[in-house]
Amino acid sequence: MNDEMEEIILEFITEAEESLDRIEPSFVELEKKGEDKELLNNIFRSMHTIKGAAGFLGFQPIVDVAHASENIMKRLREGEISLSRPLMDSILKSVDMLRLLLSHLKEKDGVEEHTAPLVQELGDA
């Protein structure tokens, strides 16, 4: 991998981690306030950005998890589903999985996580 691509990937990891750092407190606030449109929009945009950049770089497991989470945010925003404890737990699992996937990229350890069960869980919400 050339130095330029390495730099792009490192920048993606940094930005994605910063997005996740902003998302987590939003979930705490969402639990307190309920279905706050502004918070949902912010979380949706962050997931959308992570998904798009990961897609551009070919990191499909990150795309899959972010896309499934993004879909939940969209459905919450549109009132198709309601926020519940199990739903919140699933979304928080997606944040944890995204952090884990990013750590594997950062460490270049080649470890692949099995994301399909989580993606299914999010899709079933």
Side-chain angles (χ1 to χ4, degrees):
M1 180 180 320
N2 66 33
D3 289 343
E4 187 177 335
M5 190 55 152
E6 184 86 18
E7 190 175 318
I8 290 169
I9 291 170
L10 287 174
E11 184 66 27
F12 160 71
I13 292 168
T14 299
E15 289 181 14
E17 287 175 334
E18 288 171 357
S19 289
L20 294 173
D21 287 344
R22 285 189 303 273
I23 286 174
E24 283 183 309
S26 296
F27 284 123
V28 173
E29 197 172 337
L30 202 57
E31 280 185 305
K32 291 178 187 173
K33 288 185 173 181
E35 295 174 20
D36 182 289
K37 293 275 190 209
E38 185 177 337
L39 284 172
L40 290 171
N41 286 335
N42 290 339
I43 296 167
F44 176 87
R45 280 193 297 277
S46 292
M47 285 294 183
H48 184 76
T49 300
I50 291 169
K51 179 189 80 173
F56 174 76
L57 294 169
F59 300 136
Q60 194 59 46
I62 294 173
V63 171
D64 294 343
V65 173
H67 181 69
S69 298
E70 176 189 48
N71 282 344
I72 287 176
M73 293 301 111
K74 181 179 182 233
R75 293 174 64 209
L76 283 167
R77 284 189 325 178
E78 294 173 355
E80 291 178 27
I81 58 175
S82 296
L83 193 60
S84 65
R85 172 40 82 199
L87 183 61
M88 185 68 74
D89 290 345
S90 294
I91 296 167
L92 290 173
K93 282 186 211 174
S94 74
V95 171
D96 290 342
M97 178 61 79
L98 290 170
R99 284 193 187 282
L100 182 59
L101 294 169
L102 291 168
S103 74
H104 291 314
L105 282 178
K106 189 188 295 189
E107 298 299 320
K108 300 178 197 165
D109 59 16
V111 173
E112 293 184 22
E113 296 294 330
H114 190 58
T115 59
L118 176 59
V119 171
Q120 181 67 45
E121 179 181 327
L122 293 165
D124 290 343

